[in-house]
Amino acid sequence: MTLDWETEFTQLYDRCTESMRFTAFLMCGNWHEAEDVLQSAFLKLYLAGPNIADRNGIEAYLQQIVVRTFIAERRRVRWRREKLTDAPPESLIVTPGAEDGLVVWDALSSMPARQRAVLVLRYWNDMSVEGVAAALGCSTGTVKSQSSKGLETLRRKLGPGFDQSRLEA
């Protein structure tokens, strides 16, 4: 029995929302912006859905839409006057050991959008080079060079005193 698009979309939404929202958050660094990216991605998928003949890889297609929507939004953010933030006006209460995570997060959030997307997909989502290339719509060589440049930038921003053992503790 073939499901109609409305039912299939609803099931896909229920199944993928949390993981896609978290992926968007890792790229955006902001829950509000991540939610906007996710909603735009789901809207694009919903509108394109009836025209998709083979829906076997629809989750990978959705992830590709999320990544491309994030990158497109980053290009548009340059022209906005206001800066989005989800940080409260009062100071944060930091739990012990969380300082390293905040330092890494700060360094990651200051990187170019494409490098950040590559690092999140490669090292957080544990995707293959080919999978990241498909999600970003680029060559595997571009993913490798962006990974290399991104890791180099991250190491430079974190400084020589910051090593992997601190992240694993």
Side-chain angles (χ1 to χ4, degrees), residues 73-91:
E73 286 296 317
R74 282 289 133 171
R75 288 182 187 132
R76 278 180 248 173
V77 165
R78 271 187 270 186
W79 304 108
R80 291 185 186 160
R81 290 184 182 174
E82 67 274 353
K83 180 174 168 71
L84 298 177
T85 179
D86 63 347
E90 59 273 354
S91 64

Side-chain angles (χ1 to χ4, degrees), residues 3-119:
L3 298 174
D4 67 330
W5 174 238
E6 301 276 331
T7 305
E8 192 173 347
F9 179 80
T10 302
Q11 290 173 352
L12 176 72
Y13 182 86
D14 291 341
R15 189 173 60 245
C16 296
T17 299
E18 292 305 313
S19 64
M20 293 296 164
R21 180 181 294 125
F22 193 65
T23 297
F25 170 73
L26 289 172
M27 288 185 281
C28 297
N30 178 312
W31 283 110
H32 302 293
E33 189 177 350
E35 187 67 37
D36 290 344
V37 166
L38 187 66
Q39 287 179 9
S40 295
F42 271 115
L43 177 61
K44 290 174 185 178
L45 179 66
Y46 180 78
L47 295 173
N51 300 324
I52 300 173
D54 181 20
R55 296 188 185 133
N56 289 332
I58 198 141
E59 290 178 25
Y61 182 55
L62 175 61
Q63 187 171 44
Q64 182 178 21
I65 294 171
V66 168
V67 171
R68 289 182 178 178
T69 301
F70 161 72
I71 291 172
E73 286 296 317
R74 282 289 133 171
R75 288 182 187 132
R76 278 180 248 173
V77 165
R78 271 187 270 186
W79 304 108
R80 291 185 186 160
R81 290 184 182 174
E82 67 274 353
K83 180 174 168 71
L84 298 177
T85 179
D86 63 347
E90 59 273 354
S91 64
L92 295 174
I93 299 172
V94 179
T95 59
E99 297 87 9
D100 290 344
L102 292 173
V103 169
V104 171
W105 184 254
D106 187 50
L108 188 64
S109 66
S110 67
M111 296 175 69
R114 196 166 189 83
Q115 282 182 8
R116 188 180 337 164
V118 167
L119 292 179

